[in-house]
Amino acid sequence: MHIPACDTTVQLTILPFDSALEKALMPSSDYDIAQWLYVPNFYAEYRYILGTRGEKPLICVGVNPSTAAPNDLDNTLKSVERIALANGYDSFLMFNVYAQRATRPDDMEPTLNPQLHAENMAAFRYALEQTRNGRPAVWAAWGNIIEKRPYLPGCVRDMIALGEEFGAQWFTAGKRSVKGHPHHPLYLKKDSPLDPFDVKAYLERELHCF
């Protein structure tokens, strides 16, 4: 379990995504960089991207990261990888609406750190750029947890705008909640299909009031 050690808005120096990526692309004694993408490439209070290398990645979007790392995936990311492969993708990239690590979403900081959010959006742009042919595929998988903090819908709005630049296709997997929130990856069948998702309509219909 990861419990945040500090408030990132005042007590933490945030490594810019470009700098973190540069280090993540250098050889590591901890994991094979030809197989894994891990940014930053060390355990920190935040994580931009964790995933595998490929030409056709499925970008999965949760709310915020927990403890997973290369060669040490938690059950959620194991499910993400299985569903990505079952749907014809050769890799997965785990991204999150907000980059602060917190196993329990209730431990997320109460206010948005603008710098952390900006660097997280730089990471999302990079993730979108990794699809070599065709349109990037983005799997919305944040569940009801999106309601935990009032700043999260705004983060999703920024992601939608970035996705439009790349013609991103949005999907969900599994049954959506009564409120229309996408299903969390945990406990989905390993061959769960991806269903097209009108994320803009969802944002306006379900998240405008938070």
Short mmCIF file of all heavy atoms in Angstrom, two decimals, residues 85-117:
data_model
loop_
_atom_site.label_atom_id
_atom_site.label_comp_id
_atom_site.label_asym_id
_atom_site.label_seq_id
_atom_site.Cartn_x
_atom_site.Cartn_y
_atom_site.Cartn_z
N LEU A 85 -4.07 -7.53 -24.62
CA LEU A 85 -3.65 -8.59 -25.54
C LEU A 85 -4.85 -9.31 -26.15
O LEU A 85 -4.84 -9.65 -27.35
CB LEU A 85 -2.75 -9.58 -24.80
CG LEU A 85 -1.42 -9.01 -24.27
CD1 LEU A 85 -0.65 -10.07 -23.49
CD2 LEU A 85 -0.56 -8.46 -25.41
N ALA A 86 -5.89 -9.53 -25.36
CA ALA A 86 -7.08 -10.22 -25.86
C ALA A 86 -7.81 -9.42 -26.92
O ALA A 86 -8.52 -9.98 -27.76
CB ALA A 86 -8.03 -10.53 -24.70
N ASN A 87 -7.63 -8.10 -26.91
CA ASN A 87 -8.29 -7.24 -27.89
C ASN A 87 -7.40 -6.85 -29.07
O ASN A 87 -7.73 -5.93 -29.82
CB ASN A 87 -8.82 -5.99 -27.20
CG ASN A 87 -10.13 -6.24 -26.46
OD1 ASN A 87 -11.21 -6.18 -27.05
ND2 ASN A 87 -10.05 -6.55 -25.17
N GLY A 88 -6.30 -7.55 -29.24
CA GLY A 88 -5.48 -7.37 -30.42
C GLY A 88 -4.39 -6.33 -30.32
O GLY A 88 -3.73 -6.01 -31.33
N TYR A 89 -4.12 -5.82 -29.12
CA TYR A 89 -3.03 -4.86 -28.93
C TYR A 89 -1.78 -5.62 -28.53
O TYR A 89 -1.85 -6.67 -27.88
CB TYR A 89 -3.42 -3.82 -27.89
CG TYR A 89 -4.61 -3.00 -28.34
CD1 TYR A 89 -5.91 -3.41 -28.03
CD2 TYR A 89 -4.46 -1.87 -29.12
CE1 TYR A 89 -7.01 -2.69 -28.47
CE2 TYR A 89 -5.55 -1.14 -29.56
CZ TYR A 89 -6.82 -1.56 -29.24
OH TYR A 89 -7.92 -0.86 -29.69
N ASP A 90 -0.62 -5.08 -28.89
CA ASP A 90 0.61 -5.80 -28.59
C ASP A 90 1.28 -5.30 -27.31
O ASP A 90 2.34 -5.81 -26.91
CB ASP A 90 1.59 -5.72 -29.77
CG ASP A 90 2.06 -4.31 -30.08
OD1 ASP A 90 1.64 -3.35 -29.40
OD2 ASP A 90 2.87 -4.16 -31.03
N SER A 91 0.68 -4.31 -26.67
CA SER A 91 1.27 -3.73 -25.47
C SER A 91 0.22 -2.89 -24.76
O SER A 91 -0.88 -2.67 -25.29
CB SER A 91 2.48 -2.85 -25.85
OG SER A 91 2.12 -1.90 -26.85
N PHE A 92 0.57 -2.42 -23.57
CA PHE A 92 -0.33 -1.53 -22.84
C PHE A 92 0.48 -0.41 -22.21
O PHE A 92 1.67 -0.57 -21.89
CB PHE A 92 -1.12 -2.28 -21.77
CG PHE A 92 -0.32 -2.57 -20.52
CD1 PHE A 92 -0.35 -1.70 -19.44
CD2 PHE A 92 0.47 -3.71 -20.43
CE1 PHE A 92 0.39 -1.95 -18.30
CE2 PHE A 92 1.22 -3.96 -19.28
CZ PHE A 92 1.18 -3.09 -18.21
N LEU A 93 -0.15 0.72 -22.03
CA LEU A 93 0.43 1.84 -21.30
C LEU A 93 -0.57 2.26 -20.23
O LEU A 93 -1.69 2.65 -20.55
CB LEU A 93 0.73 3.03 -22.23
CG LEU A 93 1.79 2.79 -23.30
CD1 LEU A 93 1.87 4.00 -24.23
CD2 LEU A 93 3.15 2.51 -22.67
N MET A 94 -0.18 2.14 -18.98
CA MET A 94 -1.05 2.56 -17.89
C MET A 94 -0.80 4.02 -17.58
O MET A 94 0.32 4.43 -17.25
CB MET A 94 -0.79 1.71 -16.64
CG MET A 94 -1.83 1.94 -15.54
SD MET A 94 -3.47 1.32 -16.02
CE MET A 94 -4.55 2.40 -15.08
N PHE A 95 -1.86 4.79 -17.75
CA PHE A 95 -1.81 6.23 -17.49
C PHE A 95 -2.88 6.51 -16.44
O PHE A 95 -3.73 5.66 -16.16
CB PHE A 95 -2.10 6.99 -18.80
CG PHE A 95 -2.01 8.48 -18.66
CD1 PHE A 95 -0.78 9.11 -18.60
CD2 PHE A 95 -3.16 9.26 -18.59
CE1 PHE A 95 -0.70 10.49 -18.45
CE2 PHE A 95 -3.09 10.62 -18.44
CZ PHE A 95 -1.86 11.24 -18.38
N ASN A 96 -2.83 7.70 -15.85
CA ASN A 96 -3.83 8.03 -14.85
C ASN A 96 -4.27 9.48 -14.97
O ASN A 96 -3.48 10.35 -15.40
CB ASN A 96 -3.27 7.79 -13.44
CG ASN A 96 -3.14 6.31 -13.13
OD1 ASN A 96 -4.10 5.65 -12.75
ND2 ASN A 96 -1.94 5.77 -13.31
N VAL A 97 -5.51 9.73 -14.60
CA VAL A 97 -6.05 11.08 -14.65
C VAL A 97 -5.20 12.03 -13.82
O VAL A 97 -4.96 13.18 -14.20
CB VAL A 97 -7.51 11.09 -14.16
CG1 VAL A 97 -8.06 12.51 -14.12
CG2 VAL A 97 -8.38 10.21 -15.05
N TYR A 98 -4.71 11.55 -12.68
CA TYR A 98 -3.83 12.34 -11.82
C TYR A 98 -2.67 11.46 -11.41
O TYR A 98 -2.83 10.26 -11.17
CB TYR A 98 -4.60 12.84 -10.59
CG TYR A 98 -3.92 13.96 -9.85
CD1 TYR A 98 -3.64 15.17 -10.47
CD2 TYR A 98 -3.56 13.81 -8.51
CE1 TYR A 98 -3.02 16.21 -9.79
CE2 TYR A 98 -2.95 14.86 -7.81
CZ TYR A 98 -2.68 16.05 -8.46
OH TYR A 98 -2.08 17.08 -7.79
N ALA A 99 -1.47 12.03 -11.34
CA ALA A 99 -0.25 11.22 -11.25
C ALA A 99 0.19 10.89 -9.83
O ALA A 99 1.14 10.13 -9.65
CB ALA A 99 0.90 11.92 -11.98
N GLN A 100 -0.44 11.44 -8.82
CA GLN A 100 -0.01 11.18 -7.45
C GLN A 100 -0.28 9.73 -7.05
O GLN A 100 -1.38 9.21 -7.23
CB GLN A 100 -0.74 12.11 -6.47
CG GLN A 100 -0.29 11.93 -5.02
CD GLN A 100 -1.18 12.66 -4.03
OE1 GLN A 100 -2.37 12.87 -4.27
NE2 GLN A 100 -0.60 13.05 -2.90
N ARG A 101 0.71 9.06 -6.48
CA ARG A 101 0.52 7.70 -5.98
C ARG A 101 -0.30 7.73 -4.70
O ARG A 101 -0.01 8.49 -3.78
CB ARG A 101 1.86 7.05 -5.67
CG ARG A 101 2.62 6.48 -6.85
CD ARG A 101 3.74 5.61 -6.34
NE ARG A 101 4.77 5.36 -7.33
CZ ARG A 101 4.85 4.25 -8.07
NH1 ARG A 101 3.92 3.31 -7.93
NH2 ARG A 101 5.82 4.09 -8.94
N ALA A 102 -1.31 6.87 -4.65
CA ALA A 102 -2.09 6.69 -3.43
C ALA A 102 -2.95 5.44 -3.63
O ALA A 102 -3.84 5.44 -4.47
CB ALA A 102 -2.98 7.90 -3.16
N THR A 103 -2.63 4.40 -2.90
CA THR A 103 -3.39 3.16 -3.05
C THR A 103 -4.86 3.38 -2.74
O THR A 103 -5.74 2.86 -3.42
CB THR A 103 -2.81 2.08 -2.13
OG1 THR A 103 -1.43 1.86 -2.50
CG2 THR A 103 -3.57 0.77 -2.27
N ARG A 104 -5.13 4.18 -1.72
CA ARG A 104 -6.51 4.53 -1.38
C ARG A 104 -6.82 5.91 -1.96
O ARG A 104 -6.19 6.90 -1.55
CB ARG A 104 -6.70 4.55 0.14
CG ARG A 104 -6.47 3.20 0.81
CD ARG A 104 -6.62 3.29 2.30
NE ARG A 104 -5.73 4.28 2.90
CZ ARG A 104 -5.33 4.27 4.16
NH1 ARG A 104 -5.74 3.31 4.97
NH2 ARG A 104 -4.54 5.21 4.62
N PRO A 105 -7.74 6.00 -2.88
CA PRO A 105 -8.05 7.30 -3.48
C PRO A 105 -8.42 8.38 -2.46
O PRO A 105 -8.20 9.57 -2.70
CB PRO A 105 -9.23 6.98 -4.41
CG PRO A 105 -9.04 5.55 -4.76
CD PRO A 105 -8.49 4.91 -3.52
N ASP A 106 -8.92 7.96 -1.30
CA ASP A 106 -9.26 8.94 -0.26
C ASP A 106 -8.02 9.66 0.27
O ASP A 106 -8.14 10.70 0.92
CB ASP A 106 -9.97 8.26 0.90
CG ASP A 106 -11.41 7.91 0.58
OD1 ASP A 106 -12.00 8.57 -0.29
OD2 ASP A 106 -11.94 6.96 1.19
N ASP A 107 -6.83 9.10 -0.02
CA ASP A 107 -5.59 9.73 0.43
C ASP A 107 -5.03 10.72 -0.59
O ASP A 107 -4.00 11.37 -0.32
CB ASP A 107 -4.52 8.66 0.71
CG ASP A 107 -4.84 7.82 1.94
OD1 ASP A 107 -5.54 8.34 2.84
OD2 ASP A 107 -4.41 6.65 1.99
N MET A 108 -5.67 10.85 -1.74
CA MET A 108 -5.20 11.81 -2.73
C MET A 108 -5.30 13.23 -2.16
O MET A 108 -6.19 13.54 -1.37
CB MET A 108 -6.03 11.72 -4.02
CG MET A 108 -5.84 10.43 -4.79
SD MET A 108 -6.99 10.32 -6.17
CE MET A 108 -6.43 11.70 -7.17
N GLU A 109 -4.39 14.09 -2.60
CA GLU A 109 -4.41 15.45 -2.08
C GLU A 109 -5.71 16.17 -2.48
O GLU A 109 -6.26 15.91 -3.55
CB GLU A 109 -3.19 16.23 -2.57
CG GLU A 109 -2.93 16.20 -4.05
CD GLU A 109 -1.48 16.56 -4.38
OE1 GLU A 109 -0.70 16.77 -3.44
OE2 GLU A 109 -1.15 16.61 -5.56
N PRO A 110 -6.20 17.03 -1.62
CA PRO A 110 -7.51 17.64 -1.83
C PRO A 110 -7.56 18.67 -2.95
O PRO A 110 -8.62 18.94 -3.49
CB PRO A 110 -7.84 18.28 -0.48
CG PRO A 110 -6.51 18.52 0.15
CD PRO A 110 -5.63 17.39 -0.30
N THR A 111 -6.42 19.26 -3.29
CA THR A 111 -6.39 20.27 -4.35
C THR A 111 -5.40 19.89 -5.44
O THR A 111 -4.40 19.20 -5.18
CB THR A 111 -6.02 21.65 -3.78
OG1 THR A 111 -4.73 21.57 -3.15
CG2 THR A 111 -7.05 22.12 -2.78
N LEU A 112 -5.68 20.33 -6.62
CA LEU A 112 -4.84 20.02 -7.78
C LEU A 112 -3.48 20.71 -7.68
O LEU A 112 -3.40 21.90 -7.33
CB LEU A 112 -5.55 20.50 -9.05
CG LEU A 112 -4.79 20.34 -10.37
CD1 LEU A 112 -4.90 18.91 -10.85
CD2 LEU A 112 -5.35 21.29 -11.43
N ASN A 113 -2.44 19.97 -7.98
CA ASN A 113 -1.11 20.55 -8.17
C ASN A 113 -0.97 20.87 -9.66
O ASN A 113 -0.82 19.95 -10.48
CB ASN A 113 -0.03 19.55 -7.73
CG ASN A 113 1.38 20.10 -7.90
OD1 ASN A 113 1.62 20.99 -8.70
ND2 ASN A 113 2.30 19.54 -7.15
N PRO A 114 -1.04 22.14 -10.05
CA PRO A 114 -1.01 22.49 -11.48
C PRO A 114 0.23 21.98 -12.21
O PRO A 114 0.15 21.58 -13.37
CB PRO A 114 -1.08 24.02 -11.47
CG PRO A 114 -1.69 24.37 -10.17
CD PRO A 114 -1.19 23.34 -9.21
N GLN A 115 1.39 22.00 -11.53
CA GLN A 115 2.61 21.54 -12.18
C GLN A 115 2.56 20.04 -12.43
O GLN A 115 2.91 19.57 -13.52
CB GLN A 115 3.83 21.87 -11.33
CG GLN A 115 5.14 21.43 -12.00
CD GLN A 115 6.35 21.55 -11.10
OE1 GLN A 115 6.22 21.90 -9.91
NE2 GLN A 115 7.52 21.26 -11.63
N LEU A 116 2.10 19.29 -11.44
CA LEU A 116 2.01 17.84 -11.62
C LEU A 116 1.03 17.51 -12.74
O LEU A 116 1.28 16.61 -13.55
CB LEU A 116 1.58 17.18 -10.31
CG LEU A 116 1.53 15.65 -10.31
CD1 LEU A 116 2.89 15.05 -10.63
CD2 LEU A 116 1.03 15.13 -8.95
N HIS A 117 -0.07 18.23 -12.79
CA HIS A 117 -1.05 17.99 -13.84
C HIS A 117 -0.47 18.31 -15.22
O HIS A 117 -0.66 17.55 -16.18
CB HIS A 117 -2.31 18.83 -13.60
CG HIS A 117 -3.29 18.77 -14.73
ND1 HIS A 117 -3.87 17.59 -15.15
CD2 HIS A 117 -3.78 19.75 -15.55
CE1 HIS A 117 -4.69 17.84 -16.17
NE2 HIS A 117 -4.64 19.13 -16.42
#
